[in-house]
Amino acid sequence: MEEKIAIRPHKYLQFGSTQECNFYLVTEVDLVNAFTLEQENSYKSYQILTYTGGSLTEVIQQTQEPAHILVICPKHYICALESEQLGLRKLAIMAVNSTPTSWGAIAHFLSVMEATDPEVQRAFANHFFDTVEQAEYLHIIDERYQTSAKFFHLADEYEWFEQGGFLDWGQQQIVPSGELSVLPLTHGKFSPECRLEMNGELAFWGYPILHSGKDFSRRTEQAYIYEQLAILKEHAVIATVENGAIAKLQATHPSVEAAKSALEHLFTVDSHYQLIWEVGFGINTALKLWPGNNAMNEVYGAEYGAIHWGFGLTTCTPYHLDIICPNSQVLTHTGEFLIGGNSGDFATNHKQDIVRNSAIACPCISY
């Protein structure tokens, strides 16, 4: 084991006030001695509990309310809990299972948690939703590759989620936090008949993440597919999108032919991968990307937020693929900047309200 990692509970601001609260770190038996738990007298008590698999509820019930709980379990697939199981507890689950996560990555993203300002995230989310509620559609462009697509984002059957800001009692959050997303229906109910109304061209140019869910037997194949897709950091694959599904792919450079082939292979294995199942918006502007295939990169917000595209659902497909595209810009139908590689002003016109759901887990995968 490398040098111990410090857990600094008083710096995890999303938990809110620590007054009269108890702090718990839940981790695996072989990691108990890998962490040091800093006790700054902010909390009433501090304790490390172990998790060996099965229901997390049994461990949660060992904690004394009110409690702030951080879970770091790289070897275990953690299912989300219902709010009634939490009571006067706030639960933060580190996204360390669906991709291989090194010790260095855990240390890095704990520092990201410390740098994350929930007040900034809440303001970002409020600004975002105020803007999209006024827009007739969202216009996604990439200036380098001259791509353009329209997304009609206000259909009643779409479901919007947010993971960010402050936790309330009975709530849980994937950490580091900072994602807004929309799916064509309630998450977990995958259906090819449900589509996001989107047409045009998208530039897949950025940072892929390939989640495998709880199936560790896929790690070798997962790593191989990821390596084929990793070249998207350098050049784009252009996707022609028709009614929310990818109809055609085009490589913009010989070096990304392998990435194009990897995507086409996924489409052949399971046609569900051709559907754009999730449009995500990373809003964690404090996050610095960690190299390689890492789930915790998903909330990357660059400077002004970053869009990512989600394919597949791990309860129905072997993998869930995200492609973070920080160079893409999202505009409203009037050309106002919303998110991406630029910034601008926001108008205050008529709007259609969007129901914002606080997701109890990532809509496409649990960790």
Side-chain angles (χ1 to χ4, degrees):
M1 180 61 67
E2 301 178 31
E3 184 179 351
K4 288 188 177 185
I5 293 176
I7 302 294
R8 304 181 179 94
H10 58 288
K11 293 191 175 184
Y12 307 145
L13 301 181
Q14 63 263 58
F15 282 123
S17 173
T18 64
Q19 188 173 4
E20 295 302 313
C21 289
N22 305 288
F23 181 84
Y24 296 89
L25 171 66
V26 177
T27 192
E28 292 150 354
V29 174
D30 58 349
L31 293 182
V32 168
N33 295 321
F35 296 104
T36 60
L37 189 53
E38 291 192 3
Q39 302 184 22
E40 296 288 322
N41 297 321
S42 301
Y43 282 91
K44 186 177 177 180
S45 69
Y46 298 80
Q47 189 175 349
I48 298 178
L49 300 177
T50 57
Y51 175 73
T52 57
S55 173
L56 185 64
T57 306
E58 295 178 6
V59 179
I60 297 301
Q61 288 174 346
Q62 298 176 36
T63 65
Q64 182 178 349
E65 301 174 275
H68 297 169
I69 305 166
L70 173 63
V71 179
I72 307 177
C73 294
K75 296 179 181 178
H76 290 90
Y77 181 86
I78 304 296
C79 294
L81 304 181
E82 298 299 331
S83 59
E84 57 267 22
Q85 296 175 292
L86 289 174
L88 284 178
R89 299 177 178 92
K90 300 178 182 182
L91 178 63
I93 303 172
M94 207 166 196
V96 290
N97 176 262
S98 68
T99 59
T101 305
S102 68
W103 194 238
I106 291 174
H108 171 77
F109 286 106
L110 282 169
S111 70
V112 171
M113 284 181 62
E114 294 180 3
T116 298
D117 186 336
E119 195 72 65
V120 169
Q121 289 191 346
R122 182 165 60 183
F124 200 130
N126 288 342
H127 209 163
F128 176 92
F129 283 107
D130 284 347
T131 304
V132 298
E133 287 171 345
Q134 298 168 31
E136 293 180 11
Y137 60 82
L138 302 182
H139 188 198
I140 300 101
I141 63 172
D142 185 292
E143 293 182 342
R144 175 180 175 181
Y145 292 104
Q146 296 295 295
T147 59
S148 171
K150 291 181 179 179
F151 172 35
F152 289 86
H153 61 291
L154 293 176
D156 290 338
E157 62 269 25
Y158 296 169
E159 193 147 0
W160 287 83
F161 298 91
E162 57 181 313
Q163 278 265 7
F166 293 96
L167 279 162
D168 203 349
W169 298 116
Q171 289 188 338
Q172 58 202 291
Q173 194 177 84
I174 300 298
V175 291
S177 63
E179 180 184 11
L180 313 174
S181 61
V182 58
L183 284 78
L185 79 171
T186 302
H187 73 279
K189 297 181 180 178
F190 195 99
S191 170
E193 284 72 45
C194 297
R195 304 286 184 93
L196 295 172
E197 188 178 347
M198 185 183 305
N199 293 280
E201 288 187 331
L202 299 173
F204 294 155
W205 174 32
Y207 306 94
I209 302 171
L210 190 67
H211 306 269
S212 68
K214 58 185 176 181
D215 190 350
F216 274 50
S217 69
R218 297 186 178 276
R219 287 303 201 212
T220 300
E221 182 184 59
Q222 180 186 19
Y224 175 78
I225 297 172
Y226 171 78
E227 288 303 320
Q228 305 307 300
L229 297 172
I231 192 62
L232 293 174
K233 294 192 292 287
E234 305 296 332
H235 301 281
V237 169
I238 305 299
T240 300
V241 180
E242 298 175 358
N243 189 29
I246 297 174
K248 183 176 67 174
L249 295 173
Q250 175 189 350
T252 62
H253 189 273
S255 65
V256 292
E257 286 289 349
K260 173 176 174 285
S261 296
L263 290 169
E264 290 173 338
H265 176 71
L266 287 175
F267 299 167
T268 300
V269 170
D270 192 329
S271 61
H272 285 141
Y273 283 116
Q274 289 181 255
L275 300 178
I276 297 177
W277 184 243
E278 173 198 19
V279 182
F281 304 90
I283 64 169
N284 193 320
T285 56
L287 189 148
K288 305 299 182 186
L289 287 166
W290 184 260
N293 186 26
N294 199 292
M296 290 180 281
N297 282 332
E298 185 172 345
V299 299
Y300 177 64
E303 187 173 1
Y304 302 111
I307 194 168
H308 61 262
W309 308 101
F311 307 88
L313 182 69
T314 52
T315 54
C316 302
T317 56
Y319 302 103
H320 171 67
L321 171 65
D322 289 303
I323 304 176
I324 305 170
C325 298
N327 298 296
S328 293
Q329 295 184 43
V330 184
L331 313 174
T332 69
H333 70 288
T334 62
E336 285 181 73
F337 172 83
L338 176 60
I339 205 167
N342 205 338
S343 64
D345 297 323
F346 297 84
T348 54
N349 300 316
H350 175 73
K351 67 179 183 179
Q352 177 176 334
D353 290 342
I354 288 176
V355 176
R356 298 159 59 175
N357 297 284
S358 296
I360 63 173
C362 177
C364 283
I365 184 170
S366 294
Y367 296 98

